[in-house]
Structures are given as C-alpha cells and as structure tokens.
Amino acid sequence: AYDKEKVLADEASSQSTEYTRLQKLEETTTDNYSLGVYAFNQAKYTKSIKYFKRALRKKDLKNRDEANYYLALAYEKTNDLAKARKIYQELEKSASYKKRAQSRMREMPVK
C-alpha cells in the first residue's frame, strides 16, 4: 500500500542526509573544487558558485577549465546568464572545453 506520510518522511530524511554530508565535507576539507562539485550535484548552485570562485583563486589549480565550466553552469542555473556567457567565451580558447562552451552558448537565450 502507498503510504504518503512515509514517502514524504523518507524524502525529507534523504534531503537532510545530503545536507549533513555537505556540512561534514565543509568541515573536513579545504578542497573548494570538490566542495563545489558536490554542492552543484546537490542542486545547491549558489553555494557551488562560492566554492568554484574560491578554487579558481588558487594559482596552481590543475583543473581550472573544468572548474570554470562548472562555474558557468552554476551561473546558468541561477539565471546569471551574462556571467555564464563571459566564462563560456573564455573557455572557447580551451582545446578541451571549446565545443562544450560553444554548445552551451548556442542554447542560451540571446539577450
């Protein structure tokens, strides 16, 4: 039998578990890139923007283009299309992200 209360309780529990995981990750790591990816995958786009911007401040960040790509996606998700477009334009200079950046820009509404 379908138990609506149980389904809703399970869903709430699952959401709070995910939030707790993010909190624990925040307390135990200084790897802002990983925190950004995790927050992004939890649909916490504003939080992910904060982490990706912090990660990108590091001069020795190895996956800079990937972090920028995630940052642009997060800006898209928060409807900050101008910032997303600016990052995609920079990523067009990257061999590994050029096609993806161009594809994302084609899908964005023209302002």
Side-chain angles (χ1 to χ4, degrees):
Y2 176 75
D3 183 353
K4 187 177 180 182
E5 269 83 44
K6 183 176 180 345
V7 170
L8 291 174
D10 288 349
E11 203 172 280
S13 170
S14 164
Q15 287 175 348
S16 71
T17 301
E18 287 305 325
Y19 183 72
T20 305
R21 280 192 200 136
L22 181 57
Q23 278 183 318
K24 281 184 182 151
L25 204 56
E26 287 173 333
E27 291 164 9
T28 59
T29 186
T30 56
D31 180 359
N32 286 299
Y33 173 78
S34 294
L35 286 165
V37 171
Y38 192 84
F40 184 90
N41 288 331
Q42 298 303 315
K44 301 204 179 328
Y45 303 116
T46 302
K47 211 167 224 196
S48 75
I49 288 169
K50 176 179 82 172
Y51 290 124
F52 288 125
K53 285 170 77 173
R54 279 187 195 163
L56 287 161
R57 282 190 215 130
K58 290 183 85 174
K59 300 288 180 231
D60 61 344
L61 183 66
K62 304 239 183 305
N63 45 356
R64 182 166 298 281
D65 287 345
E66 188 173 349
N68 267 312
Y69 186 71
Y70 266 113
L71 179 59
L73 289 173
Y75 277 134
E76 266 193 82
K77 295 285 190 184
T78 58
N79 222 21
D80 196 338
L81 302 183
K83 285 182 181 171
R85 188 173 281 112
K86 186 175 181 188
I87 294 169
Y88 290 138
Q89 286 167 343
E90 282 298 308
L91 285 171
E92 283 185 300
K93 300 171 190 165
S94 160
S96 52
Y97 280 86
K98 181 178 182 172
K99 284 190 170 122
R100 279 184 262 190
Q102 288 173 336
S103 173
R104 295 300 313 160
M105 282 195 295
R106 274 194 303 274
E107 293 175 23
M108 289 173 74
V110 179
K111 287 238 169 184

